[in-house]
Amino acid sequence: MKLALLLLLALLLDLASTGLGKNETAARPATVHIGAIFSHNTTIGRVAKAAIDAAVSDINADPSILRGTKLVVEMQDSNCNNFIGVVQALQFMETDIVAIIGPQSSVIAHVISHVSNELRVPLVSFSATDPTLNSLQYPFFVRSTRSDLFQMAAVADLVDYYQWNQVIAVFIDDDHGRNGVASLADKLAEKRHKISYKAALRSGATSSDIMDLLVKVALMGSRIIVVHVSSDIGIRIFSTARYLGMMSSGYVWIATDWLASLLDSSSLLDATTMEAMQGVLALRQHTANSKLKNVLVSRWSQLVKNGKAENFKLNSYGLYAYDTVWLVSHALDAFFRDGGRVSFSNDSNLHDAEGGSLHLEAMSVFDEGQVLLNKILNTSFDGVTGKVQFDYERNLIRPAYDLLNIVGTGWRTIGHWTNYSGLSIVPPEKLYGKPANLSASNQQLFSVIWPGDTISKPRGWVFPNNGKELRIGVPNRASFRQFVSVSSKSNDIKGFCIDVFTAAVNLLPYPLSYRFVSFGNGHENPSYSKLAEMVALGEFDAAVGDMSIVTNRTKIVDFTQPYAESGLVIVTPVKKMNSGVWAFLQPFTWEMWLVTVCSLPLIGAVIWILEHRLNDEFRGPPKRQIVTVFWFSFSSLFFAHRENTMSTAGRMVLIIWLFVVLIIQSSYTASLTSILTVQYLSSSLGGIDKLIASNEPIGFQVGSFAENYLAEELGVSRSRLKALGSPEDYARALERGSGEGGVAAVVDERPYIDLFLSTQCKFAAIGSEFTRNGWGFAFPRDSPLAVDFSTAILTLSENGDLQRIHDKWLSTSACSSDGNELDSETLHLNSFLGLFLICGLACVLALLVYFVGMIRQYFRHCPVEGTDSSAAESSSSRRSLRRFFSFMDVKEEDVKNRSKRRKIQREESSVVSNQSSVGFNSAISP
């Protein structure tokens, strides 16, 4: 009975499953149609057609994909005509097409995507390139909605890797080209680079158009050219560029993935075409090596023959087209498994205008198109291109490009790009297994053979042949005209800064056309900050002169490498000082003398304490011991002490103290020698800190940044600052002093001060510069001239020309020698404070160890006596204290001997007591 019931249950389950299978099979149509629109007679179209056919054949032969449903792809040739492509797409939507692959043109995609959105027909493209399509509701596979953004990110990283500042973009003036260049501009801006010129070509550009455009490009300064065009126009661009001599050394050509697609699909380009592309860098969509890919590549020749087409090879677009069909098939399979049905309905809103004959009412709406779209977005599988999956932004995950260098009759891979780790010589598949690293140090590429058959990295910029004459702003100074001077009669401009600029121009690898334009009235020094602003605003193309490189100026202009060192210094009136009667006291400040004199008896007392109980030389009557302490202290200052040290602690303290004495003695001798043999300068001001705290008036040069620095950075009240226009004004204001309407000091830059002191021997600079900067030439932001001039200035410095120009204009007299630079000859306590602290710590440590040991010895040799009453406790404490001090005065050897004698006496007493006890016990025994 039970067996019969089990058999019945199994039969029912089998019938149920059979019924479900029949229902699922019934839900699947016998045939499902998808459309494909692209130009068949193009590099991409030819490969895509064969790849789509191969995919359809493989899918229909695999029963695990559509499970009995036959896939049919209806392909239309748009023939590179946007209008035809739109019409063909509309015709598809009058049929039972459930999805459209393509179109190849982003213009067609942009139009029909809106229509497909209304009709709920998923649009899946293997070549759509318009980044604006990202906002639409349908995915664009292979070159996804942001493919140009990724490709241009790779170009921007390449430009940044080689440190080029500007590029020229050559592109087709359509949505594809414009949006690609817009993406490139955004990515370059993120890395502080830019497109200097956008060279647009119309779609049907002739050879004459290309020639005219490249002539304009050749006249530009940038030599980095990015070509974002179609393959037919791209080949003509390179041929024309070679004819114009633009494929020579110094140029850099970067082609987007159109060139790699052409090279991959063409069996063999002619030698002339390959010769025109030598040294070009090209991007190719990266596809991982896999078994599936190798199988398709090995079948490709047979697939081409079956298609009865000309011989061509498989490129990345063919691989992606193959995976595109598989993507839709996987999505359809999931769609049918979940009960999806292919059904269409008409939309009453779609109808012709009155009198129209477009038959819009014939266009049908795919009822569950949104469901199929979601299936497409959520599909994930391993295809011939690698992992096929979309991210949350509907972009294909893990976009990557190969970087190719065209050499000889082929190309070589110099590296790869991913948005995960940037530029790398490691294949992307291995990088995804490691943590992301976009740091500059991690970016690597193999060497490149550039146009002109050179391996040296091109500079990327030259001075344009049609460049206008540069207007160089030069300050028309009223003082210190050795640096820059403008003749009021002949308008001749000369000086130290001008000679440096002229020498740098002569080192440039290209001619530079320029003229000097004076800035200022010549009666007072102009504002250098205003001059920098005029360069930033474009009123001047550069500024040449004694212009300091300071923070607020670097924010608006670019400076060259400094050609002269500078920094603010203080100039004050000084007087010459002779050694005098008390010259021997001048090497040390009074604080230093006080600490040194006090340290001598303290060190002597410490040595006496440590040696008193061990060393007979530190014992005797009190008068003798006091004399010994002072004699030892002062004689150690000259290493003439006669007393020996016996204790370990005493020797340690003495060694440290003698080291301190050595340093003090050497410093004193050197300073005293300088004082006795050299006349030196003295001033009441000791440095910038004392000047700020003194509330004395301070002079500065008109137009200098010193005014703002003193007021804003150092907090000096502007009421204390007095503008001075010339070296003569400096001298008069310093001679008058603060009490007579002058100034206590002048703060100015080192080159001006050196020139001033060359003729004014009554003044001197106090100390060294308290700021560090330099002088440089100013150029507009991101100007390549700044880099080239910096290189020229470094060359001038290395070959000695910069020093020769300096000596020509700024030779100094004896007044500006090092003897005029005032600095304090007095040695301060701070210079030796560390030594005194070390010596003091050694003394404290030695005394601590000594007293701990002595206290332990005292309690061991002199046990404390007990007291019978509290009334006697005070008197007992005093006796104990006296005993302790008496114990300290006793020689340690005597203490040990006394302890030995006491021990012997105790032992003898114990023996006598034992003998007496034995005798007594014998006497009383019976």
Side-chain angles (χ1 to χ4, degrees):
M1 184 64 181
K2 292 182 179 180
L3 181 61
L5 290 174
L6 290 174
L7 291 174
L8 181 60
L9 180 61
L11 180 61
L12 292 175
L13 290 175
D14 182 62
L15 290 174
S17 61
T18 303
L20 290 175
K22 289 181 179 179
N23 290 336
E24 181 181 355
T25 302
R28 290 176 178 265
T31 304
V32 62
H33 295 262
I34 61 176
I37 302 175
F38 53 91
S39 299
H40 293 183
N41 193 28
T42 61
T43 300
I44 295 175
R46 287 192 297 268
V47 178
K49 185 177 185 301
I52 292 174
D53 286 337
V56 172
S57 176
D58 292 344
I59 291 168
N60 289 331
D62 188 346
S64 64
I65 301 301
L66 293 178
R67 306 175 192 277
T69 298
K70 181 181 179 181
L71 178 66
V72 176
V73 177
E74 298 180 11
M75 289 184 277
Q76 294 286 350
D77 183 5
S78 62
N79 200 24
C80 297
N81 189 299
N82 294 334
F83 178 76
I84 293 175
V86 172
V87 172
Q88 290 171 345
L90 295 176
Q91 290 174 345
F92 274 151
M93 294 176 186
E94 294 180 1
T95 63
D96 57 352
I97 296 292
V98 299
I100 299 176
I101 297 176
Q104 182 177 339
S105 168
S106 58
V107 176
I108 302 174
H110 191 76
V111 174
I112 67 173
S113 60
H114 291 284
V115 179
S116 64
N117 188 21
E118 293 294 331
L119 302 180
R120 304 191 189 100
V121 178
L123 180 65
V124 188
S125 175
F126 59 85
S127 59
T129 56
D130 188 349
T132 60
L133 298 178
N134 190 45
S135 62
L136 301 176
Q137 298 299 316
Y138 297 101
F140 292 82
F141 184 61
V142 181
R143 299 189 63 184
S144 59
T145 58
R146 301 178 65 185
S147 63
D148 271 350
L149 194 60
F150 293 135
Q151 183 171 205
M152 295 310 176
V155 174
D157 281 353
L158 196 62
V159 171
D160 187 64
Y161 176 80
Y162 289 109
Q163 292 300 301
W164 296 315
N165 290 326
Q166 301 177 0
V167 304
I168 293 175
V170 178
F171 62 100
I172 299 298
D173 192 13
D174 58 10
D175 285 352
H176 177 201
R178 286 190 296 270
N179 289 315
V181 171
S183 298
L184 177 60
D186 292 340
K187 288 301 179 180
L188 287 173
E190 291 177 5
K191 300 181 180 297
R192 300 194 64 178
H193 307 300
K194 66 179 182 179
I195 298 176
S196 60
Y197 180 65
K198 297 179 180 179
L201 283 168
R202 59 187 179 88
S203 299
T206 64
S207 297
S208 177
D209 295 333
I210 296 174
M211 177 73 75
D212 293 341
L213 182 137
L214 290 184
V215 168
K216 293 179 182 178
V217 170
L219 296 176
M220 301 296 165
S222 178
R223 287 292 183 262
I224 314 301
I225 305 171
V226 178
V227 183
H228 186 55
V229 296
S230 59
S231 58
D232 57 334
I233 292 181
I235 293 299
R236 287 189 287 158
I237 286 176
F238 287 131
S239 298
T240 306
R242 185 190 180 198
Y243 174 78
L244 295 174
M246 298 174 66
M247 300 303 296
S248 58
S249 177
Y251 281 90
V252 175
W253 293 84
I254 303 175
T256 52
D257 59 0
W258 64 267
L259 179 56
S261 299
L262 175 65
L263 294 174
D264 287 339
S265 60
S266 300
S267 298
L268 182 65
L269 293 177
D270 60 89
T272 304
T273 301
M274 293 301 299
E275 185 66 25
M277 298 189 295
Q278 293 300 298
V280 173
L281 298 182
L283 277 70
R284 176 175 61 192
Q285 297 178 79
H286 176 80
T287 56
N289 287 326
S290 64
K291 183 178 180 180
L292 291 173
K293 176 181 175 181
N294 294 334
V295 169
L296 182 60
V297 171
S298 63
R299 293 171 51 203
W300 187 253
S301 298
Q302 187 61 39
L303 293 174
V304 172
K305 291 179 181 179
N306 293 340
K308 297 180 181 180
E310 61 181 300
N311 188 27
F312 52 85
K313 296 181 180 179
L314 179 62
N315 59 26
S316 58
Y317 282 101
L319 296 173
Y320 280 117
Y322 182 86
D323 275 350
T324 301
V325 181
W326 277 89
L327 168 70
V328 177
S329 299
H330 280 290
L332 285 169
D333 184 54
F335 173 76
F336 292 139
R337 281 202 312 268
D338 291 344
R341 293 179 178 274
V342 177
S343 60
F344 298 86
S345 59
N346 294 326
D347 189 345
S348 58
N349 294 321
L350 292 175
H351 55 82
D352 293 343
E354 186 175 352
S357 59
L358 294 177
H359 305 290
L360 295 179
E361 65 278 359
M363 300 178 65
S364 56
V365 176
F366 183 16
D367 295 327
E368 298 189 40
Q370 184 62 44
V371 177
L372 177 58
L373 172 62
N374 294 335
K375 297 298 181 183
I376 293 175
L377 293 175
N378 294 323
T379 297
S380 175
F381 68 98
D382 292 324
V384 296
T385 59
K387 188 69 173 178
V388 178
Q389 185 178 348
F390 293 102
D391 61 17
Y392 67 96
E393 292 183 329
R394 300 187 177 186
N395 300 316
L396 190 64
I397 65 169
R398 300 181 178 180
Y401 284 88
D402 300 329
L403 303 177
L404 311 179
N405 181 203
I406 311 303
V407 180
T409 58
W411 61 88
R412 51 191 289 266
T413 302
I414 62 170
H416 311 275
W417 177 91
T418 66
N419 65 339
Y420 185 73
S421 293
L423 301 174
S424 177
I425 59 177
V426 180
E429 296 76 31
K430 295 183 179 179
L431 290 176
Y432 285 113
K434 302 176 182 179
N437 188 349
L438 289 170
S439 63
S441 60
N442 192 57
Q443 308 300 294
Q444 293 182 347
L445 291 176
F446 290 116
S447 61
V448 176
I449 299 177
W450 303 100
D453 197 25
T454 177
I455 60 174
S456 299
K457 186 198 78 171
R459 182 175 60 241
W461 187 88
V462 297
F463 193 78
N465 294 329
N466 67 335
K468 63 178 181 179
E469 186 180 56
L470 298 183
R471 301 178 71 252
I472 309 295
V474 177
N476 189 1
R477 294 190 57 86
S479 60
F480 296 109
R481 295 172 62 84
Q482 293 90 334
F483 297 106
V484 179
S485 64
V486 180
S487 174
S488 58
K489 297 180 180 180
S490 62
N491 204 33
D492 185 28
I493 299 177
K494 58 185 179 179
F496 166 70
C497 302
I498 302 301
D499 280 5
V500 173
F501 178 79
T502 304
V505 168
N506 293 334
L507 292 177
L508 296 178
Y510 46 83
L512 185 68
S513 176
Y514 65 91
R515 64 184 176 92
F516 292 124
V517 179
S518 63
F519 172 69
N521 54 26
H523 302 297
E524 62 179 4
N525 295 333
S527 170
Y528 284 73
S529 296
K530 178 64 176 177
L531 179 58
E533 291 177 3
M534 296 180 70
V535 173
L537 295 173
E539 298 181 31
F540 289 127
D541 298 306
V544 172
D546 48 336
M547 180 177 289
S548 295
I549 304 172
V550 293
T551 304
N552 63 331
R553 296 172 188 168
T554 58
K555 293 179 180 179
I556 58 176
V557 295
D558 283 347
F559 282 94
T560 63
Q561 173 81 15
Y563 62 86
E565 294 184 358
S566 182
L568 294 179
V569 294
I570 303 172
V571 176
T572 63
V574 293
K575 58 182 179 178
K576 293 183 177 180
M577 299 292 294
N578 294 318
S579 57
V581 178
W582 301 99
F584 69 92
L585 294 176
Q586 293 177 6
F588 291 159
T589 61
W590 68 268
E591 296 96 339
M592 181 64 186
W593 279 117
L594 178 62
V595 172
T596 303
V597 172
C598 293
S599 297
L600 293 173
L602 289 176
I603 293 297
V606 171
I607 297 296
W608 178 83
I609 293 173
L610 298 175
E611 295 290 324
H612 178 67
R613 300 184 70 240
L614 295 172
N615 197 337
D616 289 336
E617 294 181 355
F618 289 88
R619 298 184 65 81
K623 181 178 179 181
R624 177 187 171 188
Q625 295 186 46
I626 294 173
V627 171
T628 299
V629 168
F630 279 96
W631 167 253
F632 181 86
S633 302
F634 287 95
S635 61
S636 66
L637 191 60
F638 308 100
F639 306 100
H641 54 283
R642 295 173 299 183
E643 293 79 9
N644 295 319
T645 53
M646 300 179 62
S647 67
T648 303
R651 290 174 178 173
M652 180 189 72
V653 172
L654 182 60
I655 289 173
I656 295 175
W657 171 245
L658 292 179
F659 176 73
V660 175
V661 168
L662 176 65
I663 300 300
I664 293 175
Q665 186 186 74
S666 302
S667 303
Y668 177 84
T669 303
S671 181
L672 182 61
T673 301
S674 175
I675 291 173
L676 295 177
T677 57
V678 179
Q679 289 184 334
Y680 68 96
L681 305 174
S682 68
S683 173
S684 59
L685 294 174
I688 185 62
D689 294 332
K690 291 185 178 180
L691 179 62
I692 294 173
S694 66
N695 290 323
E696 300 282 354
I698 304 172
F700 66 91
Q701 184 182 171
V702 174
S704 171
F705 76 96
E707 178 185 11
N708 288 334
Y709 183 83
L710 290 170
E712 298 175 5
E713 300 295 333
L714 300 182
V716 178
S717 173
R718 291 188 182 271
S719 61
R720 293 177 54 194
L721 302 180
K722 185 173 182 179
L724 303 174
S726 66
E728 294 75 18
D729 293 340
Y730 287 11
R732 285 192 293 267
L734 289 171
E735 288 175 350
R736 290 176 183 174
S738 57
E740 299 181 6
V743 295
V746 171
V747 174
D748 205 351
E749 296 180 69
R750 167 64 72 181
Y752 303 123
I753 296 304
D754 288 343
L755 201 58
F756 170 71
L757 294 178
S758 66
T759 57
Q760 299 289 339
C761 300
K762 296 181 292 184
F763 312 102
I766 300 177
S768 57
E769 298 95 336
F770 57 89
T771 64
R772 293 285 182 181
N773 47 34
W775 290 354
F777 304 135
F779 292 90
R781 295 299 296 270
D782 300 324
S783 171
L785 281 173
V787 178
D788 290 345
F789 267 91
S790 294
T791 303
I793 290 170
L794 289 174
T795 303
L796 291 174
S797 177
E798 293 170 356
N799 62 22
D801 288 346
L802 194 60
Q803 184 61 44
R804 284 188 283 272
I805 296 172
H806 178 276
D807 295 341
K808 171 186 174 182
W809 289 97
L810 307 174
S811 57
T812 57
S813 68
C815 283
S816 60
S817 64
D818 293 339
N820 257 29
E821 187 168 307
L822 180 63
D823 203 354
S824 177
E825 298 285 348
T826 304
L827 300 175
H828 296 270
L829 176 61
N830 288 338
S831 302
F832 304 92
L833 191 58
L835 289 173
F836 284 115
L837 288 176
I838 293 173
C839 188
L841 290 174
C843 293
V844 172
L845 181 61
L847 290 175
L848 181 62
V849 173
Y850 171 77
F851 280 113
V852 170
M854 191 179 63
I855 291 172
R856 291 179 60 190
Q857 190 181 50
Y858 171 74
F859 283 108
R860 187 169 62 250
H861 296 291
C862 300
V864 180
E865 299 178 358
T867 57
D868 296 335
S869 63
S870 60
E873 184 177 352
S874 176
S875 130
S876 175
S877 298
R878 286 193 296 270
R879 285 197 305 272
S880 297
L881 190 59
R882 284 196 298 271
R883 288 180 63 195
F884 178 71
F885 283 114
S886 297
F887 179 78
M888 288 179 59
D889 191 52
V890 178
K891 193 173 182 181
E892 187 171 347
E893 185 179 356
D894 294 341
V895 173
K896 293 180 179 179
N897 291 335
R898 186 184 304 170
S899 177
K900 290 180 180 179
R901 288 195 299 271
R902 187 180 296 113
K903 182 178 181 182
I904 293 173
Q905 290 174 358
R906 283 199 303 268
E907 290 176 353
E908 290 176 351
S909 299
S910 176
V911 171
V912 172
S913 176
N914 290 337
Q915 290 176 352
S916 299
S917 175
V918 170
F920 176 77
N921 290 335
S922 299
I924 64 173
S925 62

